[in-house]
Amino acid sequence: MSTAADVASHYSNGGLQAAIESGLAALGKTLSSASIADLAPVDEFHIGGRGATVDVCEQLDVQPGSAVLDVGCGIGGTARFISSTFGCEVTGIDLTAEYVEVARSISEATHMADQLTFETGNALDMPFVDSASTTSCGSPMGATRFPSLGPAMRR
C-alpha cells in the first residue's frame, strides 16, 4: 500500500457522516437545518480553526468571485465558510474519499453545492490546471507538513 493510501485509510472510519448527524440530533438539528456555526466544531479541525482561515483569506485577498482551491479540505467546512463569507467558488481536494463524500453531502444539505466542488486526490499531485486566477489555501498544518506545497499555495 502506498503512503497516500495509508494516510487515507488512517483517516477513514466509515461512520463519519452518521457521527456528525448524531451530534447534530443531540442539538435538535439535522444536516439541512444546521448552520455553518452549528457545524463549526467538526468543520474546521485544523490548527488555528476559523481564525486561521480568516487570516489566510485576508492575506490572499480573497474577493467575491474569486476561485479558491482548498488543499486538504477534509469534510469541506473551510470551503463552505470561505464561500459563504467571501462570496466565491471553492474547490476542495482531500486524500480521504470518505471526507470528500461527507463534504459533498453536507454541502448539498446546506444548499451550498452550487458554489463548491470536492475531489478526492493527492495534494502533491493535484489534477488541476495551473491558473493565475485561482487562489490556493490549506490548513497551516498542511503547509508545515508538506513544505513543497508552499510555492504552489502562493501562486
Side-chain angles (χ1 to χ4, degrees):
M1 192 179 301
S2 72
T3 301
D6 288 340
V7 171
S9 176
H10 172 79
Y11 284 102
S12 187
N13 71 22
L16 181 58
Q17 181 151 340
I20 292 168
E21 289 173 350
S22 176
L24 287 170
L27 298 172
K29 304 271 184 167
T30 65
L31 279 178
S32 59
S33 69
S35 68
I36 289 179
D38 294 328
L39 293 164
V42 295
D43 253 358
E44 292 193 57
F45 53 92
H46 57 76
I47 295 171
R50 182 139 307 150
T53 300
V54 171
D55 288 345
V56 168
C57 288
E58 288 174 353
Q59 290 174 34
L60 294 173
D61 195 29
V62 174
Q63 299 290 321
S66 295
V68 177
L69 176 61
D70 181 5
V71 179
C73 68
I75 63 171
T78 299
R80 282 186 292 279
F81 176 77
I82 291 171
S83 180
S84 66
T85 302
F86 295 92
C88 55
E89 293 185 6
V90 182
T91 298
I93 182 172
D94 200 280
L95 197 55
T96 306
E98 182 181 18
Y99 285 5
V100 171
E101 291 167 15
V102 171
R104 289 175 180 154
S105 176
I106 293 173
S107 297
E108 183 72 33
T110 56
H111 310 288
M112 295 193 68
D114 290 347
Q115 302 101 288
L116 305 166
T117 303
F118 297 99
E119 302 292 336
T120 302
N122 189 329
L124 300 177
D125 186 25
M126 290 190 281
F128 304 105
V129 174
D130 188 19
S131 171
S133 64
T134 300
T135 300
S136 299
C137 67
S139 76
M141 183 178 72
T144 302
R145 294 178 71 193
F146 302 104
S148 62
L149 289 177
M153 291 173 70
R154 285 187 285 276
R155 280 198 291 242

